Amino acid sequence: MSEQNAFILQVQPLSRAAFAPFGDLIEADDAAHHFTINAGNTERYHDLANLEPGPEGRAIVSIFRGQPRRLPFTVTMMERHPLASQAFIPMSGHPYLVVVAPPGPAPDAQDLRAFLAQPHQGVNYAPGVWHHPLLALDAVSEFIVIDRAGPGHNCDEITLPQHGVIPARG
């Protein structure tokens, strides 16, 4: 499919409210439940994501190292994890892109939402939420990833019939 027939995705800032239909924003901000611990030396931002390892699963911690993507970028595929959540917490100090669609049947390009995540923001995809694999920008970037190990099929991938295009940053 040529890019001229593709659906243009408008990239919006990542916020707690805008991302809520897809999972949790992991961010130390005033909206998060927080309190002081360690004799007043540390502020704890508490219970930021609903991590779900799914039936018979267990939560695992990995590091993903993503190569930077060039913009404009054509979104040709999406994936989902039907049994469990998947959290991405950036470690490299670079912004990154998040492309999601609601859980349910395979999405069309018009169902996609694109967010620009800042280096201090992580995301937790709820079980079944369609998302594009890691979209690092600017430089090779590392992420702590908390997801599921266990029995059962937990990754569906689809090719989009109409592609989505994330334009170059202006």
Side-chain angles (χ1 to χ4, degrees):
M1 168 175 279
S2 71
E3 283 191 27
Q4 65 196 43
N5 294 329
F7 184 80
I8 303 300
L9 298 173
Q10 301 302 315
V11 179
Q12 59 184 308
L14 182 62
S15 70
R16 195 172 306 282
F19 194 72
F22 310 105
D24 307 300
L25 176 65
I26 301 172
E27 180 177 29
D29 64 2
D30 288 339
H33 178 60
H34 59 101
F35 48 91
T36 304
I37 61 171
N38 298 337
N41 202 37
T42 303
E43 191 73 8
R44 178 179 176 148
Y45 291 83
H46 184 71
D47 197 13
L48 298 176
N50 184 20
L51 301 175
E52 297 182 26
E56 300 180 40
R58 65 182 183 86
I60 62 170
V61 176
S62 304
I63 294 177
F64 286 18
R65 182 175 293 147
Q67 300 299 311
R69 308 294 183 119
R70 293 194 184 276
L71 299 180
F73 179 78
T74 303
V75 178
T76 62
M77 63 83 66
M78 296 289 280
E79 69 178 29
R80 68 177 174 184
H81 305 285
L83 299 180
S85 61
Q86 187 179 45
F88 285 78
I89 303 165
M91 297 184 350
S92 299
H94 302 291
Y96 62 102
L97 290 170
V98 173
V99 177
V100 291
D108 292 323
Q110 295 84 355
D111 299 323
L112 304 181
R113 300 271 308 272
F115 296 97
L116 178 61
Q118 297 304 315
H120 65 279
Q121 296 177 309
V123 296
N124 181 50
Y125 301 121
V129 165
W130 291 99
H131 60 278
H132 194 280
L134 187 59
L135 291 168
L137 296 172
D138 301 335
V140 173
S141 298
E142 291 186 345
F143 293 77
I144 292 175
V145 177
I146 304 168
D147 60 356
R148 177 186 195 275
H153 176 76
N154 193 34
C155 187
D156 298 327
E157 292 184 357
I158 55 132
T159 300
L160 295 169
Q162 180 186 24
H163 299 164
V165 174
I166 298 170
R169 290 188 276 181

